[in-house]
Amino acid sequence: MKHWFTLIAGASALLVPALALAASPFEGRWDMTITTQRDTYPGWLEVKTENGQMHVRVQPRAGSVHPAAAVATEGSHLLVTLNKADNGRPAMIWDLTADGDHLNGSLKRGDTDAGKVEGARAPALNHKPPKHWTTPEALFNGKDLDGWKPERPDLSHWVAKDGVLLNETKGSNLIGTRKFEDFKIHLEYNCPAGGNSGFYLRGRYEVQIEYEPGDTEDPYHRMGAIYGFIPPAKDVPRKAGEWESFDITLVGRDLTIVRDGIMIIDHQQIPGITGGALDSHEGEPGPFYIQGDHTGGMKFRNITISVPK
């Protein structure tokens, strides 16, 4: 995924004075759902207080997680500015109130109510590591798109040929028809120079796949990163146009990624959904999906999965 913000997740979030209460009712991580007249889509919010200061991060519908542009409190309301007014466009604000493990409020574009915003406290997902896994099972049969469906059939350029899943040119994302909770997945990919795609776990967490020109992406948006949240711990040589592999294990939020036999993420916790997620229902199983709306030329093969016995 290409990010729309230059700020990265590792940067310090916006600091604002803490609420007068010892413990803010907004404290924590929240899975957000935004409903407008045209659409319903996911988001994510993190509020934490350290040394008397409130740190706020937001994950909008697309792009990368980033510090809120501004934060204010008005009585029992928390006003989170996602984007400030710019070039004639009004500011986009979540106006929120807290009720236990739920947030309610409105999406404002300037002074206009543009939709409804709801939030649920994000689940901990403290799953026990399984003792045994099933025998790996193919998710791509190498012959056709059985088990996969284009998000936009009218824009799809996905084809299967000679054991390879190919996105001929940019168009539609490709979504698996089955849903999974905890798993080990192996996949081989071939990313051309200038290619940009992503492989989503449970339809919510993007493993970045990219070879942007000149290796211009920062670590949080580089090959193998959990987009905006977790950078790879080790650099692996770029192999544009060559076959490479990921071996990914996800148990609850606990993530391990091995790239071409090299451990790049070792038992790290995924904080929340990334941009482009299908939904924000983190406590539920979800499908795999592959980005196809950025660039063409991406190839995949030998996609297999094991699940806990």
Side-chain angles (χ1 to χ4, degrees), residues 226-306:
I226 295 299
Y227 195 82
F229 279 117
I230 306 175
K234 293 184 179 180
D235 290 329
V236 178
R238 291 165 63 95
K239 297 179 181 179
E242 300 180 26
W243 285 103
E244 305 180 65
S245 67
F246 282 136
D247 287 280
I248 303 169
T249 303
L250 182 60
V251 177
R253 294 187 182 278
D254 188 273
L255 176 75
T256 295
I257 299 181
V258 176
R259 176 183 169 196
D260 269 358
I262 299 173
M263 181 82 71
I264 61 170
I265 295 178
D266 186 5
H267 293 286
Q268 297 292 306
Q269 296 290 307
I270 299 179
I273 68 168
T274 61
L278 298 178
D279 62 49
S280 59
H281 308 313
E282 291 191 90
E284 301 177 4
F288 297 104
Y289 99 75
I290 308 172
Q291 272 187 339
D293 61 354
H294 282 8
T295 61
M298 286 297 310
K299 300 175 183 177
F300 297 86
R301 69 183 184 187
N302 296 334
I303 305 173
T304 61
I305 189 168
S306 298

Side-chain angles (χ1 to χ4, degrees), residues 13-26:
L14 184 72
L15 303 182
V16 299
L19 296 179
L21 297 176
S24 165
F26 299 101

